[in-house]
Amino acid sequence: MAGYDYDLFVIGGGSGGVRAARVAAALGKRVGIAEEYRYGGTCVIRGCVPKKLYVYASQFPEHFADAAGYGWTVPEASFDWQTLVANKDREISRLEAIYKRNVEGAGGEAFHSRAMIVDPHVVHLLSEDRTVTSDQILIATGGRPAAHPALPGHEHCIFSNEAFDLKELPKAIMIEGGGYIAVEFANIFHGLGVDTTLVYRGKEILSRFDMDLRRMLHETMEKKGIKILCHSVSEWVRKRPDGRLDALVSGGKVLTVDQVMLAIGRIPNTENMGLEGIGLEMTKTGAIAVDEYSRTNVDNIWAIGDVTNRVQLTPVAIHEAMCFIETAFKGNPTAPDHETIATAVFSQPEIGTVGLSEDDAVKRFPDIEIYRATFRPMRHTLSGRDEKMLMKLVVDGASKKVLGAHILGPDAGEMAQLLAIPLKAGLTKDDFDRTMAVHPTAAEELVTMYKPTYRVKDGERVG
């Protein structure tokens, strides 16, 4: 390794790449990392962090309305979009500096440059027009919103990246897509007072989530005033003389809006990096193919995070980074564990989920018990808000192992994180039943549902 400039060179300064660079440098390895845009990657700069800040901003109108039931008189509120954007920018700049500082503080060298691999051990830094050599190379370049070049007028549309920094808040927006990004932004814009329409080609929003969550969230969003058009796609987008947009959707309906946002998936960032030239194997989706240890078909080159298109979540990229360190530098081959991953959708109300959905469990197990409860959260009793909460446990009828836990309601994401621990540990419904409740809380419902709501045996619902 002494013959190389670095022991490890990381391409991509997002959550996974920075974690790998920082930890490797802390081990005493000679580490370089290159990021062409901003350190922090999608999550910090144009994803999870600014999105959650915008979610918080969009919740205040409901908080103001609910306060009356608790005796508060709240003056008429006003909202300033530019203030939110400016404060968001300040926060992500602070986080960006921390990410870069953490690498350098551990002894790594950080570059602001696009990087190309010109040889299995050689990286070209374009902004500096020079090459460096490294024993090991880690690709962690993430992904980006999928474009829609087949859509006439696609050049008039925005993506999630642009949605955070619009010059002004639109009066009306159409969002195409039904995944968590589309759903979250639909709730954000609606909460900020924007007339919002969600257009999705599928039969129900949030595919791969439990169907009870999907249906109940759909109903709640529509009650709030968000228009949802399923089994629909946009056919063209045209700019009007007044600067607004007309969008034709399935069935001949034309929507006139200020912005059309496309949230139809994400694709890996693998273009123009020299990967083909070194014979790196790719998948059909353009992702980098890796083995169970995140190693590519080129022995000294590895890849983690969204660029591999395994599980597109920030904590997964960080976990993969730590497994890479164990494998590459500690002599402890460790495969990332992609089973039973908790996740949240920061809709309003939000979703928290971990483990198998009912539909997936039924396909794998002959006898399934479903424990299900819907109720009004205590916080809504005095406010009068007509919004229900859903708690659901999916249990193997034979072993009583809890296979899935699904929540729709306030703080669902926080609960899902804690539920991930007992589900990861393989605990049973008996373990849940033996656990004392914390009262009064919404979460106590998870340990007080003693009798199955119904069972599914060999694919047939019973009870």
Side-chain angles (χ1 to χ4, degrees):
M1 293 194 294
Y4 298 109
D5 298 321
Y6 299 100
D7 301 317
L8 171 66
F9 198 93
V10 181
I11 303 176
S15 298
V18 165
R19 175 62 65 90
R22 178 173 64 82
V23 176
L27 292 174
K29 305 299 179 182
R30 296 166 300 155
V31 176
I33 181 171
E35 167 59 49
E36 68 172 320
Y37 181 50
R38 299 178 68 180
Y39 279 87
T42 295
C43 180
V44 171
I45 306 300
R46 52 192 178 273
C48 331
V49 172
K51 173 197 69 183
K52 191 70 180 290
L53 295 175
Y54 282 24
V55 167
Y56 288 143
S58 67
Q59 291 173 339
F60 279 98
E62 289 189 357
H63 296 333
F64 296 148
D66 291 349
Y70 288 89
W72 290 94
T73 300
V74 180
E76 183 177 355
S78 62
F79 172 69
D80 185 76
W81 170 254
Q82 281 74 24
T83 297
L84 173 62
V85 173
N87 289 342
K88 176 267 300 181
D89 286 345
R90 184 162 52 250
E91 174 60 12
I92 65 173
S93 293
R94 182 185 72 86
L95 293 173
E96 177 189 11
I98 291 173
Y99 268 63
K100 187 170 181 286
R101 187 166 65 244
N102 283 346
V103 173
E104 295 174 333
E109 188 173 5
F111 299 92
H112 274 104
S113 175
R114 183 171 182 82
M116 293 184 62
I117 302 176
V118 296
D119 178 88
H121 292 280
V122 180
V123 176
H124 182 216
L125 301 174
L126 274 69
S127 67
E128 302 190 11
D129 193 24
R130 70 183 179 99
T131 60
V132 296
T133 61
S134 181
D135 179 55
Q136 305 292 314
I137 294 174
L138 176 66
I139 303 171
T141 47
R144 66 183 185 278
H148 193 355
L151 174 66
H154 65 90
E155 66 274 13
H156 303 307
C157 303
I158 63 170
F159 300 93
S160 57
N161 290 357
E162 293 80 22
F164 291 114
D165 299 297
L166 296 173
K167 291 183 179 179
E168 59 184 28
L169 187 67
K171 292 182 173 61
I173 190 169
M174 185 195 98
I175 301 174
E176 182 159 8
Y180 72 94
I181 294 174
V183 169
E184 288 173 338
F185 271 102
N187 283 274
I188 287 169
F189 279 113
H190 170 76
L192 297 177
V194 179
D195 181 8
T196 303
T197 303
L198 187 65
V199 175
Y200 179 48
R201 64 182 179 180
K203 66 178 181 179
E204 187 55 276
I205 59 173
L206 293 176
S207 64
R208 296 190 296 277
F209 284 79
D210 188 88
M211 185 57 78
D212 280 340
L213 296 179
R214 300 166 68 188
R215 288 173 178 155
M216 193 164 169
L217 178 61
H218 183 146
E219 292 170 3
T220 306
M221 287 172 63
E222 288 193 320
K223 284 181 181 179
K224 290 175 183 285
I226 299 171
K227 295 177 283 292
I228 302 176
L229 306 178
C230 290
H231 298 292
S232 296
V233 296
S234 57
E235 298 183 4
W236 50 251
V237 177
R238 295 174 183 167
K239 196 160 191 176
R240 295 158 51 103
D242 62 3
R244 304 190 78 199
L245 301 174
D246 285 336
L248 175 67
V249 299
S250 304
K253 185 174 184 178
V254 176
L255 304 177
T256 300
V257 295
D258 300 291
Q259 296 285 355
V260 173
M261 175 178 158
L262 301 179
I264 54 175
R266 294 178 64 81
I267 57 176
N269 285 324
T270 53
E271 295 89 348
N272 303 316
M273 290 179 58
L275 305 185
E276 298 84 357
I278 61 169
L280 207 69
E281 184 180 343
M282 315 289 283
T283 70
K284 292 180 180 179
T285 62
I288 296 175
V290 293
D291 66 12
E292 60 180 325
Y293 298 103
S294 300
R295 192 192 297 266
T296 71
N297 63 307
V298 178
D299 189 59
N300 69 298
I301 299 180
W302 315 68
I304 59 170
D306 290 3
V307 76
T308 67
N309 199 27
R310 288 177 286 184
V311 179
Q312 296 184 13
L313 294 170
T314 297
V316 173
I318 293 171
H319 170 67
E320 291 170 356
M322 297 305 292
C323 292
F324 157 74
I325 293 293
E326 291 290 326
T327 303
F329 296 117
K330 290 189 175 183
N332 178 33
T334 304
D337 182 358
H338 295 116
E339 294 297 319
T340 318
I341 298 172
T343 189
V345 180
F346 293 106
S347 48
Q348 298 174 40
E350 68 185 55
I351 282 174
T353 183
V354 58
L356 298 181
S357 67
E358 178 181 342
D359 288 342
D360 287 340
V362 166
K363 294 174 185 176
R364 300 191 196 183
F365 297 86
D367 183 9
I368 292 295
E369 295 177 349
I370 300 298
Y371 297 79
R372 187 182 187 278
T374 58
F375 54 94
R376 178 185 286 187
M378 180 178 279
R379 70 171 63 182
H380 294 332
T381 55
L382 295 188
S383 71
R385 181 169 297 280
D386 182 23
E387 193 168 297
K388 296 293 181 66
M389 191 163 189
L390 169 66
M391 298 277 194
K392 182 174 180 179
L393 296 177
V394 180
V395 177
D396 175 19
S399 67
K400 302 301 180 182
K401 180 180 177 180
V402 181
L403 304 172
H406 311 285
I407 305 168
L408 174 71
D411 303 317
E414 302 288 345
M415 291 185 230
Q417 176 64 86
L418 296 177
L419 281 166
I421 300 170
L423 264 71
K424 196 72 175 177
L427 298 189
T428 66
K429 184 62 170 61
D430 292 337
D431 295 316
F432 276 60
D433 293 343
R434 290 187 298 106
T435 302
M436 291 291 184
V438 178
H439 181 77
T441 65
E444 68 182 291
E445 199 73 29
L446 294 163
V447 297
T448 57
M449 294 187 289
Y450 298 119
K451 293 184 179 180
T453 308
Y454 58 89
R455 303 176 78 119
V456 182
K457 290 191 173 184
D458 298 321
E460 296 293 327
R461 178 166 168 167
V462 180

